[in-house]
Amino acid sequence: MVALFAHMNAYASAGTTFELPLSGQMNGRPLDVPCQWSAGLGAGLQYNITHRIGIYIEPEFYWYFNNGSSIRTVRTERPVNINIPVGIRFSW
């Protein structure tokens, strides 16, 4: 059991994101697309198969803040986003 935990890594992340749109169009007309802020939290667990190869799972939670725009997007309609990436990580 101790050997199993010796190969495990746990980690966490938190941060904010600022998205600055360059331009937008709808039906050939330019849009005044506002900036978008979001905040995120995550945690991860990795099991190292070898010194350079591991398998991981990293559940993440994001919240997109209301930007006051009347333009409907996936971020205004569903401001909560939950991702659960799973994969193989190669290190060198």
Side-chain angles (χ1 to χ4, degrees), residues 1-10 46-50:
M1 188 70 153
V2 173
L4 174 69
F5 289 115
H7 294 276
M8 301 288 283
N9 293 336
Q46 178 171 320
Y47 177 77
N48 297 310
I49 299 169
T50 70

Side-chain angles (χ1 to χ4, degrees), residues 11-24:
Y11 46 94
S13 64
T16 60
T17 302
F18 176 73
E19 297 176 18
L20 179 64
L22 299 177
S23 67

Side-chain angles (χ1 to χ4, degrees), residues 55-69:
I55 55 175
Y56 68 91
I57 183 168
E58 294 179 1
E60 304 167 322
F61 170 84
Y62 292 97
W63 176 267
Y64 293 92
F65 298 106
N66 184 346
N67 60 9
S69 174

Side-chain angles (χ1 to χ4, degrees), residues 29-59:
R29 295 184 175 162
L31 291 175
D32 183 22
V33 183
C35 301
Q36 179 72 57
W37 282 94
S38 64
L41 296 171
L45 190 62
Q46 178 171 320
Y47 177 77
N48 297 310
I49 299 169
T50 70
H51 181 64
R52 301 204 181 268
I53 301 172
I55 55 175
Y56 68 91
I57 183 168
E58 294 179 1

